[in-house]
Amino acid sequence: MLDHDFIDNYTSGFDMTIDAVKDYTLEWAEEVTGIKKEKIKEAAELWGKAKTSFLLHARGIEHHSKGVDNVLGCINLVLATGRIGKPYCGYGTITGQGNGQGGREHGHKCDQLPGNRDIENPEHRKYISEVWGIDEKDLPGKGLSAYEIIEAIHRGEIKGSGKIECPCHKGFFDAMTGEVLEGPPPRALPKLEVFFKDSGVFVKSFQEAGLVGCIIYQKGIEVHKKRPKQEFRSFFI
């Protein structure tokens, strides 16, 4: 199942890799992963015997204590079987970074033009304006970063509508007070206590705050009130 021609012509360090994994048997993999060795073998043969294949993964294997090793293992698998640089084969990731990189390459970052060009560089501005067929003066200047936008909001230089919209009922609330501004909502948004604990920020749930909640059943709606609990629910860390 290995593509030795590809390995010899386009890779290096293959012998070292084989030596590093020589003790990783199917039995070892079964014990570590909890997946039956027959299933692991079946997956390996499915990949190895296929004429073409594309390895694609999301953030799960990256956000892991062994994330780098996981990704390198995927890349090594693609290289060892020669599944890259040819039609219908390859390796890729579905990540936020990929979307961010795409945005930057298309000139959507506040201080860049496509191709990692500086929006304040006269030569870069001239080149892009010619490619786009526009007057250079129509290109915007450098914008604010995410942090600078927040600071500008606090200074009152950037202002929003000050409203929170409920898209289900088309109601609007005051973003500062939670009071109803317009629409069908019968009451203001509830206020929940936000507090710091250790290194995290927490918010009390409806039940912990002693607020009335609703449980929807097939036969109707039952209004109930629960006694506040002592434990807390994490908001974000």
Side-chain angles (χ1 to χ4, degrees):
M1 293 188 287
L2 297 177
D3 188 335
H4 290 284
D5 288 338
F6 185 90
I7 293 170
D8 293 339
N9 292 317
Y10 301 106
T11 71
S12 61
F14 181 72
D15 292 337
M16 295 174 59
T17 303
I18 290 296
D19 184 64
V21 300
K22 66 178 185 298
D23 296 327
Y24 298 160
T25 63
L26 284 173
E27 290 74 19
W28 173 88
E30 180 181 48
E31 181 180 355
V32 171
T33 64
I35 300 174
K36 294 294 185 181
K37 62 181 180 181
E38 292 79 12
K39 289 293 184 181
I40 298 175
K41 182 179 179 181
E42 180 183 349
E45 291 178 342
L46 182 65
W47 174 276
K49 294 180 179 180
K51 293 182 179 180
T52 60
S53 52
F54 193 103
L55 199 159
L56 187 68
H57 64 76
R59 303 308 302 274
I61 70 170
E62 300 171 15
H63 287 187
H64 190 278
S65 61
K66 302 294 183 182
V68 173
D69 292 337
N70 292 339
V71 172
L72 290 177
C74 291
I75 295 173
N76 284 338
L77 174 62
V78 172
L79 293 175
T81 52
R83 303 295 169 79
I84 196 166
K86 60 181 66 173
Y88 311 111
C89 295
Y91 167 78
T93 61
I94 306 174
T95 67
Q97 280 84 345
N99 291 329
Q101 186 64 38
R104 288 190 289 274
E105 289 303 307
H106 282 80
H108 294 163
K109 193 167 180 288
C110 69
D111 60 352
Q112 289 183 0
L113 292 169
N116 200 32
R117 293 177 174 85
D118 187 348
I119 201 169
E120 296 183 314
N121 185 304
E123 294 183 3
H124 294 177
R125 294 176 62 87
K126 181 176 182 297
Y127 175 79
I128 292 298
S129 61
E130 290 175 352
V131 171
W132 285 350
I134 63 174
D135 195 310
E136 182 183 336
K137 65 181 181 182
D138 291 331
L139 286 175
K142 181 179 178 180
L144 299 178
S145 68
Y147 296 103
E148 291 169 336
I149 289 175
I150 299 299
E151 293 171 350
I153 291 174
H154 282 294
R155 293 194 300 267
E157 298 171 4
I158 297 179
K159 298 181 179 180
S161 66
K163 299 179 181 180
I164 298 176
E165 179 184 2
C166 172
C168 296
H169 305 97
K170 300 301 180 183
F172 291 88
F173 303 87
D174 188 296
M176 298 299 293
T177 66
E179 295 297 325
V180 178
L181 295 176
E182 57 183 285
R187 63 182 67 86
L189 293 174
K191 296 181 179 180
L192 299 177
E193 179 185 351
V194 177
F195 61 96
F196 295 93
K197 182 179 179 182
D198 298 326
S199 60
V201 181
F202 296 80
V203 59
K204 284 189 175 181
S205 68
F206 282 84
Q207 288 78 17
E208 291 161 350
L211 298 174
V212 174
C214 295
I215 297 180
I216 300 178
Y217 295 99
Q218 291 182 348
K219 295 182 179 180
I221 299 178
E222 176 185 345
V223 179
H224 68 100
K225 185 172 183 179
K226 290 188 176 181
R227 186 176 60 185
K229 298 179 180 179
Q230 296 301 315
E231 63 270 23
F232 301 107
R233 183 178 62 185
S234 174
F235 183 53
F236 67 86
I237 302 297

